[in-house]
Amino acid sequence: MVLLMLAGVLNAHATITPARHRHRMIAASTSHRLVAHSLRRTRSAAAYGHAEFAHVAGRMSAHRRAAMMRVSARRGRIRYYGERFTASSFTDVNALTANDVSAGEDPVVRAAAVEALGNMNGTVLAIDPSDGRILAMVNQKLALSAGAEPCSTIKVAVALAALKEGLVKSDTPVNLGGHYTVDLTHALARSINLYFEVLGRSMGFDRVKHYANEFGLGELAGYNIPGEHLGVYPDKELPAASGGVGRMCSFGESISMTPLQLGALVSAIANGGTLYYLQHPTTQAEVTNFQPQVKRLLDIKDVIPQILPGMEGAVDFSNGTARSLRTNFVQFPVFGKTGTCSDNGTRFGWFVSYGDAPTGRIVTVIFLEGGRDTFGPKAAELTGQFYRAMFDRNYFLQSKPVTTAMVGSGGAAQQ
């Protein structure tokens, strides 16, 4: 069994020691403040996921909760208590869709997405992962914008990278200090930040960036989609004083990601490794003549089975950060990842998922921005409402036509 160990404050950078006795030990650097607060047996906010922190804090004494709140304020932008938000989570429903071009979208999917989003300030993106077609894109202005900090959804890319590097498998125990040990499945399901800081420091910025770019971050995700802006993956590591690559891998700080980029990556997970250019038909003629475009093939097929238990656990575990989805929908498996963070008075709430429906898989990205009512578990709840609305409209009883992929730059076609 591969064992990961935290090296505390002794190392300035993450290193991997030579293999001995068939064990590989990963030494990950961290600051003294992180050790002092995050590795206590009380398990600080940095060790817990965002929603998990709020859930656990509610059962603690006032003194202990206050201590964890102070850690949260120092370690990140997630401040469930005491943070002041100036942005609003709600807006006029008509304003959300006023300028959307929807003639080429699936009318059932679009109607369900509009219903689920309601008057929350956000966007809903639904994708057919088998060909990269955007089935619906509600609030296209926001969906096609330059994006926002990915928050904990960045953990999906980091997990794939660590799996490809051979650092962990789904059940590899990682010691985060004292007697606190967790594996990838539970780290994803509960969005445990410290776990992904360890992975990020172990790989180093150059390897993390390599995989992020390979997975489509830092480049346009769409194929000739008017108005699409570019999300940015920085060329330089976040300064050590701000958390370095560990911080980038746990919260996505200094990274700007678009809903389309995130949707394209999870579509590749859902279809077995094909990164499609996303296409948004604007007329029925374009739907009729639709031809998939492959951007490139990702070498992730062998590790997809290792990441899925954690994405499913986020939804199905009793302490999973996306368990709110099951309030509205339980009809088929859903694999996903939440994300919550804030910046300058605005909170971001992400949830990306794919539903394994009887008629084929569907990928959904819901991105919210606003105030206290905006957070990742809320986006997961809305996703459940979205799937429920389509289910009630008998969408998952329909058969879908088979399409043939066209070769794009850097990839081969798949049937």
Side-chain angles (χ1 to χ4, degrees), residues 369-388:
E369 60 179 15
R372 192 165 300 280
D373 295 299
T374 295
F375 50 103
K378 182 63 178 180
E381 178 186 338
L382 298 184
T383 301
Q385 293 177 13
F386 169 64
Y387 287 138
R388 165 56 62 184

Side-chain angles (χ1 to χ4, degrees), residues 25-338:
M25 303 173 67
I26 297 178
S29 67
T30 187
S31 66
H32 182 270
R33 181 173 57 185
L34 182 59
V35 171
H37 294 288
S38 297
L39 301 186
R40 289 177 178 172
R41 295 190 182 187
T42 56
R43 300 180 184 177
S44 73
Y48 278 99
H50 309 150
E52 184 69 6
F53 170 41
H55 174 70
V56 172
R59 294 186 279 109
M60 291 181 176
S61 67
H63 176 76
R64 186 175 174 191
R65 182 165 59 247
M68 288 184 67
M69 287 159 50
R70 289 193 294 271
V71 172
S72 181
R74 284 194 293 266
R75 290 300 305 158
R77 295 178 182 171
I78 310 303
R79 305 182 185 102
Y80 277 87
Y81 303 90
E83 185 173 11
R84 303 184 67 177
F85 297 105
T86 57
S88 173
S89 296
F90 306 99
T91 187
D92 179 74
V93 175
N94 295 326
L96 285 172
T97 61
N99 297 312
D100 285 1
V101 179
S102 59
E105 297 185 356
D106 186 306
V108 175
V109 178
R110 181 170 180 84
V114 170
E115 178 182 320
L117 185 61
N119 67 341
M120 293 208 72
N121 186 31
T123 180
V124 180
L125 180 69
I127 304 165
D128 184 341
S130 69
D131 58 17
R133 178 190 165 191
I134 296 176
L135 302 172
M137 181 164 47
V138 177
N139 192 359
Q140 292 166 17
K141 181 179 180 180
L142 180 57
L144 299 174
S145 70
E149 187 172 313
C151 314
S152 284
T153 62
I154 196 65
K155 293 179 170 79
V156 174
V158 175
L160 285 174
L163 288 166
K164 287 306 301 179
E165 288 287 290
L167 298 181
V168 293
K169 292 184 178 180
S170 61
D171 59 353
T172 302
V174 180
N175 188 293
L176 300 182
H179 298 289
Y180 183 36
T181 301
V182 71
D183 58 26
L184 176 62
T185 294
H186 290 83
L188 274 172
R190 293 163 50 198
S191 200
I192 298 176
N193 299 320
L194 182 55
Y195 178 95
F196 290 91
E197 291 201 12
V198 170
L199 293 188
R201 292 191 173 98
S202 298
M203 288 185 285
F205 174 74
D206 289 341
R207 296 306 294 164
V208 169
K209 177 177 169 55
H210 164 78
Y211 282 105
N213 293 155
E214 180 70 9
F215 297 154
L217 302 187
E219 63 187 25
L220 291 176
Y223 186 81
N224 295 332
I225 299 181
E228 182 189 6
H229 288 73
L230 181 66
V232 176
Y233 199 94
D235 291 327
K236 295 182 179 180
E237 181 179 353
L238 194 69
S242 299
V245 67
R247 184 72 173 171
M248 298 175 77
C249 291
S250 58
F251 282 90
E253 192 163 325
S254 78
I255 301 167
S256 176
M257 183 180 66
T258 71
L260 271 68
Q261 289 171 335
L262 182 58
L265 171 56
V266 174
S267 292
I269 295 174
N271 67 37
T274 302
L275 186 65
Y276 283 103
Y277 285 104
L278 301 188
Q279 297 184 72
H280 182 233
T282 57
T283 66
Q284 283 303 307
E286 290 182 7
V287 174
T288 301
N289 299 314
F290 183 87
Q291 293 288 343
Q293 300 285 337
V294 176
K295 180 183 288 188
R296 57 182 167 268
L297 302 182
L298 304 181
D299 183 23
I300 60 173
K301 188 174 183 178
D302 60 326
V303 299
I304 289 174
Q306 298 292 321
I307 197 174
L308 291 185
M311 295 178 68
E312 186 173 27
V315 177
D316 289 344
F317 288 176
S318 62
N319 57 1
T321 59
R323 60 190 180 274
S324 55
L325 183 146
R326 290 304 189 195
T327 302
N328 299 295
F329 192 76
V330 296
Q331 275 65 32
F332 52 70
V334 178
F335 305 81
K337 183 70 193 76
T338 57

